[in-house]
């Protein structure tokens, strides 16, 4: 028990030494065309402070190590970024339209193609390739100057940029899903109010407590922790801190 308490004190002082508000900055770009995104809202989860990115996608915000920034922009998938010792961030947001299905609409006069969230008129002279789902298709390519090669399509599309972004998005969703218990506690106004009243904490005290709590557990990031375990751990953390200072 004594060893465990000494270890906690050692870890606590390490966390306390790193607890200082710092300036985090960076650029926000479209993950598809790498263009800068202007007007992206960047918000600190702990303090609620908000800033907007400028025409070059640049932002700057004050936050604490261990805090979380939320990046949101209309038509794009919101992203959370846990803050570490890296003070410059390069954030890529994914356009929701990139994940819409591809289809074609044929009319009497025109045919339309919908792909990557864009509706375009399809060239009537464009050869239509029959569906050969599940096959790897090779097609000769002639550049008209004596050079050429082969065009390969099919399952190899797994390696395309769009497929890679889709896989990254799925991994991000899985990571967030594994932290559901954590968010159910930290993002709950009811839980925050209850614990602030129970332990007589101001909102500023609460925000700093949560940051230190995140830093203390940053190695495992609360992955697969149920809500009950997160809340119990948070209350134990608050109790130990208060008893230490008292």
């Amino acid at each position: 028990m004594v060893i465990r308490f000494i270890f906690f004190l050692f870890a606590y002082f390490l966390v306390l030494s790193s607890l200082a508000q710092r300036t985090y900055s960076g650029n926000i770009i479209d993950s598809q065309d790498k263009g800068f995104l202007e007007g992206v809202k960047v918000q600190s989860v702990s303090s609620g402070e908000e800033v907007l990115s400028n025409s070059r996608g640049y932002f700057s915000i004050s936050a604490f190590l261990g805090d979380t920034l939320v990046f949101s922009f209309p038509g794009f998938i919101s992203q959370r970024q846990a803050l570490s010792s890296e003070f410059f961030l390069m954030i890529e947001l994914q356009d929701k339209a990139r994940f819409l299905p591809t289809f074609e609409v044929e009319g009497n006069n025109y045919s339309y193609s919908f792909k990557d969230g864009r509706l375009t008129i399809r060239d009537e002279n464009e050869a239509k390739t029959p569906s050969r789902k599940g096959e790897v298709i090779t097609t000769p390519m002639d550049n008209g100057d004596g050079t050429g090669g082969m065009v390969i399509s099919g399952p190899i599309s797994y390696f395309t940029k769009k497929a890679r972004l889709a896989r990254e998005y799925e991994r991000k969703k899985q990571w967030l899903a594994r932290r559901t218990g954590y968010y159910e506690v930290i993002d709950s106004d009811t839980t925050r109010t209850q614990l602030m009243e129970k332990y007589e904490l101001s909102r500023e005290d609460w925000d700093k407590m949560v940051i230190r709590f995140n830093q203390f557990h940053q190695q495992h990031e609360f992955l697969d922790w149920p809500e009950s375990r997160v809340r119990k751990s948070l209350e134990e953390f608050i109790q130990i801190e208060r008893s230490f200072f008292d």
Side-chain angles (χ1 to χ4, degrees):
M1 182 65 183
V2 175
I3 295 178
R4 181 180 179 183
F5 183 71
I6 293 175
F7 172 77
F8 174 81
L9 289 180
F10 176 72
Y12 175 79
F13 281 118
L14 287 179
V15 170
L16 198 62
S17 64
S18 63
L19 185 60
Q21 197 169 35
R22 309 174 185 189
T23 299
Y24 288 84
S25 61
N27 291 95
I28 308 171
I29 61 176
D30 185 328
S31 63
Q32 185 70 13
D33 59 21
K34 305 304 180 184
F36 295 115
L37 294 178
E38 180 181 5
V40 177
K41 183 172 73 173
V42 184
Q43 182 178 36
S44 164
V45 170
S46 65
S47 67
E49 180 183 352
E50 297 180 1
V51 298
L52 297 177
S53 61
N54 65 15
S55 59
R56 299 289 294 174
Y58 178 81
F59 72 93
S60 179
I61 187 171
S62 296
F64 293 94
L65 179 69
D67 195 357
T68 299
L69 297 182
V70 179
F71 300 84
S72 55
F73 190 62
F76 284 72
I77 299 169
S78 296
Q79 182 172 322
R80 286 173 172 262
Q81 177 69 48
L83 299 179
S84 61
S85 57
E86 186 68 38
F87 300 130
F88 186 84
L89 308 173
M90 180 60 72
I91 304 298
E92 296 188 12
L93 296 185
Q94 298 178 6
D95 189 344
K96 294 178 180 178
R98 305 294 183 187
F99 301 99
L100 293 175
T102 299
F103 61 87
E104 293 184 0
V105 178
E106 295 188 2
N108 294 328
N109 299 320
Y110 300 99
S111 295
Y112 300 91
S113 174
F114 185 84
K115 184 178 181 181
D116 290 338
R118 294 181 174 85
L119 188 64
T120 58
I121 298 179
R122 188 173 63 82
D123 185 357
E124 294 298 328
N125 297 319
E126 180 183 352
K128 298 185 65 175
T129 304
S131 175
R132 299 175 63 181
K133 188 176 181 179
E135 298 182 46
V136 176
I137 304 170
T138 59
T139 306
M141 179 181 66
D142 185 1
N143 295 328
D145 58 359
T147 64
M150 299 294 291
V151 177
I152 304 176
S153 60
I156 199 169
S157 61
Y158 176 88
F159 300 101
T160 64
K161 186 175 184 179
K162 181 177 179 180
R164 176 175 57 80
L165 291 176
R167 293 194 301 275
E168 289 177 357
Y169 174 56
E170 286 301 321
R171 285 195 294 270
K172 188 69 174 181
K173 287 201 304 183
Q174 292 172 9
W175 181 80
L176 292 174
R178 294 181 64 189
R179 283 168 55 94
T180 299
Y182 169 79
Y183 293 126
E184 287 176 347
V185 173
I186 300 302
D187 292 344
S188 170
D189 293 335
T190 301
T191 298
R192 182 182 67 245
T193 301
Q194 290 175 348
L195 295 183
M196 286 174 61
E197 291 178 354
K198 181 176 180 179
Y199 297 103
E200 300 179 346
L201 299 171
S202 66
R203 181 55 193 267
E204 183 180 359
D205 292 336
W206 167 264
D207 291 338
K208 292 181 178 179
M209 187 77 71
V210 169
I211 291 173
R212 292 195 292 270
F213 178 64
N214 291 342
Q215 292 172 330
F216 191 72
H217 292 277
Q218 64 182 348
Q219 184 174 2
H220 55 75
E221 298 182 315
F222 306 99
L223 296 179
D224 303 319
W225 280 36
E227 178 185 4
S228 58
R229 183 180 179 185
V230 176
R231 174 154 182 162
K232 180 181 178 182
S233 179
L234 177 57
E235 291 210 50
E236 289 177 347
F237 185 83
I238 296 174
Q239 291 168 5
I240 293 175
E241 276 217 342
R242 288 181 66 83
S243 64
F244 176 78
F245 282 113
D246 293 343

